[in-house]
Amino acid sequence: MRNPSRTRHAVVVLLLWVLCFVIECAADVPPATAADFDSAADSSDVRLQPIESISLESLLKREIRGGETGSYGLRLAEFQAESELHGYLSADINGSSRGQVSTFDLHHAVLFARADFFDRIIPEIALEWEHAGTEFYAPYAQVDLRTSNALILRIGSFVAPVGAFNEYQYPDFLRKTMLMPIAMREIVPALWSEVGVQARGKFSDALGRGFNYAVFTSNGLEQSDPDPKDGVVPEGGSIRDMRKHARDQANANKAFGGRLGATVSRGLDIGLSSYHGAYTTDGKRDLTLFGSDLTFQLEEFTLRIEAAAARQEVTGGLLDKRGGYLLLARRIRPSFEPYVQLENVHLEGLSNPVRRRVVGGAVYYPFPEEAPYAMLKFEGVWTRYGASDSFGQALAQLTIGF
Amino acid sequence: MQTRSVAILLALLVAGGLTTGARAAIPADHQAQLLLRVLAYDHLLVERARGEVTVAVLARANHAESETWGGALFAALSILDHQMSVAGLPIRVVAISAPDVAIAEAALERHRVAAVYICPGWSDQTAALAQATRRLSALSFVGSDPKARDGPSIGLVQRGNRPVIVVNLPAVVAEGARLDAGLLTVAEVRR
């Protein structure tokens, strides 16, 4: 009759013995003998391998790191890869409004990591936790390959270069208002990222005047089909809900889009944008977007006008969605910048398609020199649906980019 | 029974930690490869070597740690000198055990060494040893960080999990070597 406990103990002891043997062998150092010292070794072998055939890099690296500290990040540190870490935080207080109770909201907690390899290869990734981390996603993860100022290839998941707001104004620490314009929420649905390939570049003179462009092809916006087997292909849905289409799985159609911009004079930028692609899972209905934007920024004054339109194919016709906003801001003191934004949209397909909104507020910069991306915003919003249905809301936000 | 096994295992691990955690160093065979590879970056090696690259392993006599290290490194280099060449020249390895710098210098001169690996145990003679290697134009290596400008030329250092080559540039120049920029880009250079 075998005693299991004794057997187990014997196995443990055997393993320990093997372990000790291995350790001993590894640590065994050939002792220096009398003959070794002060004697020359014979090197008569004429078929010698040059030491130069072993790369120094390979001697300074090892693939397997059993029983050592750190993980992949440490390996990059060992390769002396240098990277930067940035981010921003936005903490909101939203007053009650139609369908909303008042709430505190840690709206955005975002990390940006980037590196720059000899000004030619620039990887960058953003990780975003919204509403205290209850919603997580990666807004972009891209690699820029710069051949010259006129041609940069961007590969990966990138912010779609359609309109000015989506690519340049989305983060709270870069824009004046708390709420994004309705048109930039429902027509060019910021923040809108695409997985694909992009080419971009600029041609400018010594004064900075010139043209810039960004064109891309990607998987495109797609209206999801909750039940692909029911024979019904959904169409005419919200453009905003078509985002985050990371992979083509229903059809192989690719979308195309881009923006052509010009810096006309100091502080004056204009742009035209477009996007086209199939948006239904069967690839039979197309969505086309058009956009135009103008930004005039001189001294402490900012004027931005942006308009967008969508032509969304549905069975038997087109849904017409269009709208825009006008923003005026003036930094009357280094620490104080009031603003007003006027909006108007028409969203065909909704029961109440016409929406107008007036947004007024001010940005307080507590440390305009030392921490220019630390902002405290106070905002009042008045919204009207149709001809007479209106309501308001008060909001405040602390945002800081770091 | 299980408790006893666990206790034995823990005791072994702790003992292992005490004996191996004293100092982290690049293993001798790896140091030997690095030493020869670094020599290949010396533009003046052929002039200094005179037909063959003689590498000395210098241990301190009657210093246990020094002689243990010396034995390990000599064994590692002796394997390589039968297999490898540097700058097209064969390699010759000699082991020297000396009680003081004067005797060490005489042995180094007799063997006309192009490079010398200084084992631990010479910390009280660093400056005098450096003067000797500079007189003999022998590029000096150590298995630690050559912090002092008047110390050895090349340190082969285990930093965290990775081996690092530390180049003491003033000492390199003083010892008659001229290292290629390719080495300096991957090494930590002290100027």
Side-chain angles (χ1 to χ4, degrees):
Chain A
M1 196 68 180
R2 294 170 64 188
N3 183 339
S5 173
R6 182 168 294 179
T7 307
R8 196 162 53 236
H9 179 65
V11 169
V12 169
V13 169
L14 183 64
L15 284 174
L16 284 173
W17 182 83
V18 170
L19 182 66
C20 290
F21 178 77
V22 169
I23 291 171
E24 203 171 322
C25 287
D28 190 23
V29 171
T33 64
D36 288 337
F37 288 102
D38 215 3
S39 66
D42 182 22
S43 58
S44 56
D45 191 348
V46 293
R47 304 168 80 178
L48 300 174
Q49 180 192 356
I51 189 77
E52 292 86 344
S53 64
I54 303 173
S55 83
L56 184 60
E57 286 76 11
S58 71
L59 290 174
L60 296 175
K61 293 175 187 170
R62 280 180 295 143
E63 293 295 324
I64 306 300
R65 303 297 187 86
E68 295 184 358
T69 58
S71 188
Y72 305 128
L74 179 61
R75 298 304 303 274
L76 288 167
E78 289 173 4
F79 299 157
Q80 300 181 340
E82 292 182 359
S83 58
E84 298 172 6
L85 190 64
H86 297 281
Y88 75 95
L89 283 173
S90 301
D92 298 0
I93 304 173
N94 299 334
S96 58
S97 181
R98 172 171 295 176
Q100 294 179 18
V101 296
S102 65
T103 183
F104 295 106
D105 184 12
L106 180 61
H107 196 159
H108 290 116
V110 184
L111 287 178
F112 305 113
R114 68 179 299 278
D116 190 332
F117 297 99
F118 54 95
D119 204 24
R120 286 283 188 266
I121 306 170
I122 299 106
E124 185 167 333
I125 185 170
L127 303 174
E128 179 163 333
W129 291 265
E130 283 199 64
H131 310 298
T134 53
E135 294 175 18
F136 169 79
Y137 78 116
Y140 61 84
Q142 64 190 32
V143 179
D144 282 352
L145 306 173
R146 193 178 79 87
T147 61
S148 66
N149 286 340
L151 179 60
I152 298 165
L153 292 177
R154 179 167 290 182
I155 299 165
S157 168
F158 47 78
V159 176
V162 177
F165 185 89
N166 191 52
E167 191 172 18
Y168 305 114
Q169 297 294 311
Y170 174 77
D172 297 316
F173 69 94
L174 290 179
R175 71 175 191 236
K176 320 289 183 197
T177 60
M178 274 186 69
L179 295 181
M180 71 173 78
I182 301 171
M184 301 302 113
R185 181 180 168 81
E186 302 297 339
I187 303 172
V188 180
L191 182 67
W192 167 27
S193 300
E194 284 290 325
V195 179
V197 181
Q198 182 186 146
R200 58 195 289 129
K202 66 177 182 180
F203 307 88
S204 55
D205 65 12
L207 298 175
R209 296 173 304 196
F211 294 94
N212 58 79
Y213 72 94
V215 292
F216 68 93
T217 179
S218 64
N219 292 335
L221 296 162
E222 185 174 283
Q223 184 169 353
S224 64
D225 187 348
D227 186 359
K229 294 177 182 171
D230 65 358
V232 178
V233 178
E235 60 178 32
S238 158
I239 298 172
R240 186 170 187 79
D241 293 342
M242 298 177 192
R243 301 173 304 159
K244 301 179 184 175
H245 173 49
R247 286 183 296 167
D248 273 333
Q249 291 174 308
N251 68 73
N253 288 338
K254 299 293 177 279
F256 298 88
R259 178 178 181 269
L260 179 63
T263 301
V264 180
S265 63
R266 189 170 77 89
L268 178 59
D269 286 271
I270 57 174
L272 292 172
S273 308
S274 185
Y275 166 89
H276 180 80
Y279 77 91
T280 51
T281 52
D282 61 1
K284 292 180 179 174
R285 301 281 178 261
D286 287 351
L287 173 68
T288 306
L289 304 178
F290 301 101
S292 60
D293 60 87
L294 178 151
T295 299
F296 180 62
Q297 199 161 25
L298 192 64
E299 305 296 335
E300 308 303 331
F301 176 76
T302 301
L303 164 68
R304 181 170 295 112
I305 304 171
E306 188 164 359
R311 293 170 64 82
Q312 188 174 357
E313 288 183 357
V314 292
T315 303
L318 283 172
L319 290 181
D320 179 23
K321 300 177 179 179
R322 52 194 149 78
Y325 70 93
L326 180 151
L327 170 76
L328 285 168
R330 183 173 169 76
R331 201 154 173 172
I332 56 178
R333 296 171 65 178
S335 60
F336 189 65
E337 184 175 32
Y339 59 83
V340 62
Q341 181 167 286
L342 308 175
E343 303 178 39
N344 192 351
V345 294
H346 176 92
L347 303 171
E348 192 175 356
L350 297 181
S351 58
N352 216 339
V354 178
R355 297 174 180 195
R356 294 188 176 86
R357 191 160 78 177
V358 178
V359 178
V363 184
Y364 173 62
Y365 301 87
F367 307 102
E369 296 291 333
E370 300 86 347
Y373 294 113
M375 308 154 88
L376 194 56
K377 302 177 188 177
F378 301 95
E379 192 164 291
V381 182
W382 177 77
T383 307
R384 192 170 76 180
Y385 285 0
S388 57
D389 183 11
S390 60
F391 54 94
Q393 187 179 21
L395 308 106
Q397 179 183 68
L398 172 67
T399 185
I400 180 165
F402 54 90
Chain B
M1 193 68 78
Q2 278 185 335
T3 311
R4 198 185 311 164
S5 298
V6 171
I8 292 170
L9 183 60
L10 279 175
L12 279 170
L13 289 173
V14 170
L18 289 175
T19 53
T20 61
R23 190 180 63 177
I26 304 173
D29 57 342
H30 199 174
Q31 287 205 40
Q33 285 182 310
L34 280 170
L35 184 152
L36 296 179
R37 190 64 187 89
V38 168
L39 279 180
Y41 282 94
D42 179 8
H43 289 295
L44 301 179
L45 178 67
V46 175
E47 287 176 31
R48 292 191 296 109
R50 303 168 205 165
E52 64 180 356
V53 178
T54 302
V55 179
V57 178
L58 177 61
R60 190 82 181 260
N62 304 318
H63 189 293
E65 186 191 2
S66 188
E67 292 192 331
T68 303
W69 261 107
L73 204 76
F74 178 76
L77 282 167
S78 296
I79 294 169
L80 293 176
D81 79 345
H82 286 79
Q83 301 171 348
M84 316 295 291
S85 65
V86 180
L89 300 175
I91 301 163
R92 189 168 69 100
V93 184
V94 296
I96 298 169
S97 181
D100 56 45
V101 173
I103 295 173
E105 184 175 358
L108 292 170
E109 188 169 17
R110 189 166 68 252
H111 288 295
R112 302 169 75 173
V113 300
V116 53
Y117 183 94
I118 302 169
C119 298
W122 290 98
S123 57
D124 60 328
Q125 298 287 323
T126 303
L129 208 50
Q131 286 176 4
T133 54
R134 289 169 193 202
R135 270 195 299 273
L136 300 170
S137 293
L139 192 62
S140 55
F141 291 76
V142 285
S144 57
D145 194 334
K147 292 188 173 97
R149 287 168 62 89
D150 60 351
S153 285
I154 311 287
L156 305 174
V157 185
Q158 183 79 13
R159 189 156 294 150
N161 284 340
R162 69 185 178 116
V164 174
I165 299 167
V166 182
V167 175
N168 183 358
L169 211 51
V172 170
V173 174
E175 288 177 346
R178 193 170 74 221
L179 298 178
D180 189 87
L183 172 66
L184 303 183
T185 56
V186 297
E188 275 186 26
V189 182
R190 307 276 158 75
R191 294 175 193 278

